[in-house]
Amino acid sequence: MSKIDVLVVGGGGREHALVWKIAQSPLVEKVYCAPGNGGTANEEKTINVPIGVDKFEELSRFALEKKIALVVIGPDNPLADGIVDHMEAKGLKVFGPDQAGAKLESSKSHAKNILVELGIPTARFAVFQDKTSALNFASENEWARVVKEDGLALGKGVVVCDTIKEVEDALSKMFGGNAKDSSATKNIVVVEDRLQGEELSLFLLSDGKNTLTLAACQDHKRRFDGDTGPNTGGMGAYSPVPLYEKYKEVIEKQVVEPIQRALKNGSLKYKGVLFIGILMQDDIPYVLEFNARFGDPETQALMPRLKSDIVPALLASAEGTLDQVKLDWDTRFSCCVVACADKYPESSSKGETIEIGELPEDTYIFHAGTAIANDVVTTNGGRVLAVVSLHEAPEKAQQNAYLALKNVSFKGIDYRKDIAWRVATKCHSR
Ligand code: GLY
């Protein structure tokens, strides 16, 4: 069989991890990454292509010209805007959901309705199109302390509140004005129960009819140690997750099987990767959210654990043959720590030279906000890169990731010192 070329769309850490894994496939001749970053530029077999993720026409033209056999879409925005529909209409084979499928992420009210329809546990909720009704509802129902903006919001669309005042502030922001102004109906919000418990992320592949469970991960969304500070895209992640191992059967029965049944009977149409955010409360797996893409930085934690070639699985998802695919996972723990700009998430870093020294065994660097010019790699974003270490012992994986970070430098580098604290208790100084 002749080798294929693959195009990965995106330029973050998730895409670097995907490119890294895809490039290892013996089935692959070349990987193009649009637009890529300073890490993908230096990856084996890989060429960065300076086309933005929102340039559907240019991306399709490039893929057709290069006879790309598989396009892999990384980020949420192009999926929500219909990049898969666009490319498939041109005859390209694409890994990812179409626009209707991506609504599981791009509309939180749609996702809640699907969860209810499929009988999957989810927090009780109500949907509102004006601030006054939403605020009245939250005032009358003490449990209603989570406010979610309906669309994509770069991880800032969910506000978990302690008080009704915080609910009011969140609603004011989302509706863009005075919460008492019921004429402000430009948005939709979901107000839901504030559940209490530990969270995990589960990744499934779907081909439209079959699912294949990948692995579970736990990420750290808060900016500072001790899970404090503002929410971010993710400051680190680890996998596997003991909580998932404990509740695997319950999650399979109450979350995965209803999804499988709905795919088979046609009541759910979805292909690509489904990222399921689950919170365990009273032994019940409540689904908090769906994402229609791989997580970032979860993908960086997962790819080094995947022993099998990923390309047959991505192709099978696009072709409807996932029932013929099996994946083998490394049982070792991976610990992924994100190095960011010191002022992230308020601001980012640009143009600072990145130096990377010696790395411990089984340690990988995935770039996110980086750029390359004249062979010099510089910062170009808030989350700059991630260090991922694998080890049988979670505390060793954690220790190696932090040891590696001592050999990574750029002006203003910062990172959390307690990633994976649930499985490895040490705190690491710089
Ligand atoms: N790390 C969370 C996300 O990718 O949405």
Side-chain angles (χ1 to χ4, degrees):
M1 195 175 123
S2 61
K3 293 193 178 192
I4 62 168
D5 291 349
V6 177
L7 168 65
V8 175
V9 173
R14 162 186 48 216
E15 286 77 25
H16 187 185
L18 288 169
V19 160
W20 171 81
K21 187 67 194 164
I22 291 167
Q24 290 170 38
S25 171
L27 303 173
V28 170
E29 179 75 35
K30 263 194 223 119
V31 187
Y32 294 97
C33 191
N37 60 35
T40 57
N42 284 327
E43 209 49 74
E44 200 196 332
K45 298 183 189 173
T46 305
I47 301 166
N48 278 357
V49 184
I51 307 177
V53 302
D54 56 343
K55 302 280 183 285
F56 297 178
E57 199 57 51
E58 276 179 65
L59 287 167
S60 292
R61 204 176 317 126
F62 175 85
L64 289 168
E65 261 169 38
K66 295 286 182 194
K67 298 191 169 38
I68 297 292
L70 177 69
V71 185
V72 178
I73 312 296
D76 49 0
N77 274 308
L79 291 168
D81 291 342
I83 191 169
V84 174
D85 312 60
H86 182 98
M87 290 188 148
E88 286 183 342
K90 307 263 180 201
L92 291 160
K93 191 175 291 173
V94 191
F95 173 81
D98 62 11
Q99 190 169 27
K103 231 179 136 189
L104 281 181
E105 175 168 8
S106 63
S107 168
K108 295 191 172 70
S109 57
H110 171 72
K112 293 294 282 191
N113 291 334
I114 295 283
L115 286 163
V116 171
E117 218 175 284
L118 303 191
I120 296 173
T122 191
R124 56 195 156 157
F125 71 104
V127 179
F128 298 96
Q129 294 192 16
D130 71 276
K131 295 180 289 187
T132 307
S133 314
L135 188 55
N136 286 344
F137 181 82
S139 304
E140 286 158 16
N141 296 283
E142 229 175 285
W143 52 263
R145 291 291 176 271
V146 177
V147 185
K148 295 177 163 180
E149 203 170 346
D150 200 53
L152 297 179
L154 297 169
K156 294 184 188 116
V158 179
V159 185
V160 179
C161 307
D162 287 316
T163 62
I164 191 71
K165 173 77 176 70
E166 286 175 25
V167 171
E168 183 170 0
D169 291 348
L171 288 169
S172 294
K173 265 198 196 121
M174 288 178 194
F175 284 105
N178 181 347
K180 294 197 171 57
D181 175 8
S182 61
S183 67
T185 56
K186 65 178 181 175
N187 224 331
I188 296 176
V189 298
V190 174
V191 179
E192 72 174 33
D193 195 354
R194 181 176 174 175
L195 302 175
Q196 304 287 344
E198 206 179 314
E199 292 180 35
L200 65 96
S201 307
L202 181 64
F203 293 84
L204 301 184
L205 290 185
S206 167
D207 65 2
K209 300 187 298 281
N210 311 288
T211 67
L212 177 66
T213 300
L214 296 178
C217 229
Q218 230 165 14
D219 79 339
H220 298 263
K221 289 195 181 71
R222 301 294 199 97
R223 172 65 175 84
F224 301 118
D225 290 9
D227 292 326
T228 58
N231 262 333
T232 68
M235 296 300 298
Y238 65 93
S239 175
V241 181
L243 184 71
Y244 175 67
E245 303 306 324
K246 180 172 171 195
Y247 287 106
K248 207 173 183 163
E249 278 168 30
V250 176
I251 292 171
E252 188 67 22
K253 205 166 162 43
Q254 297 191 36
V255 179
V256 179
E257 285 176 15
I259 292 172
Q260 277 167 350
R261 276 197 297 276
L263 288 168
K264 288 231 192 285
N265 70 27
S267 56
L268 179 67
K269 297 200 184 317
Y270 190 87
K271 68 177 179 66
V273 60
L274 188 61
F275 165 169
I276 312 174
I278 296 172
L279 181 146
M280 291 304 309
Q281 179 181 286
D282 303 329
D283 299 334
I284 298 171
Y286 289 93
V287 171
L288 297 181
E289 62 172 6
F290 287 123
N291 292 309
R293 51 169 175 86
F294 280 106
D296 188 338
E298 290 89 338
T299 311
Q300 295 88 309
L302 289 182
M303 287 304 118
R305 287 195 55 226
L306 180 54
K307 293 209 287 202
S308 312
D309 185 352
I310 195 174
V311 173
L314 300 177
L315 281 168
S317 164
E319 289 167 352
T321 54
L322 212 45
D323 51 335
Q324 294 162 34
V325 176
K326 273 209 161 41
L327 294 175
D328 224 12
W329 292 86
D330 197 321
T331 53
R332 288 179 298 170
F333 273 87
S334 69
C335 176
C336 163
V337 183
V338 170
C340 64
D342 50 1
K343 298 284 185 310
Y344 173 76
E346 279 76 40
S347 65
S348 54
S349 169
K350 199 172 168 65
E352 303 295 347
T353 303
I354 300 170
E355 309 274 4
I356 298 174
E358 217 178 302
L359 301 176
E361 211 183 334
D362 294 324
T363 296
Y364 310 89
I365 303 262
F366 296 117
H367 291 226
T370 74
I372 184 164
N374 304 321
D375 290 333
V376 179
V377 179
T378 54
T379 59
N380 190 33
R383 290 188 295 170
V384 174
L385 55 82
V387 173
V388 185
S389 286
L390 282 185
H391 202 281
E392 282 86 4
E395 53 280 2
K396 274 282 186 193
Q398 187 195 49
Q399 190 177 22
N400 284 349
Y402 284 104
L403 270 177
L405 274 163
K406 287 190 191 294
N407 286 336
V408 174
S409 64
F410 56 85
K411 194 170 165 215
I413 186 172
D414 196 20
Y415 46 85
R416 274 183 59 163
K417 317 298 179 300
D418 63 347
I419 297 301
W421 63 263
R422 278 197 171 89
V423 289
T425 49
K426 288 209 182 82
C427 212
H428 293 264
S429 63
R430 280 180 51 197

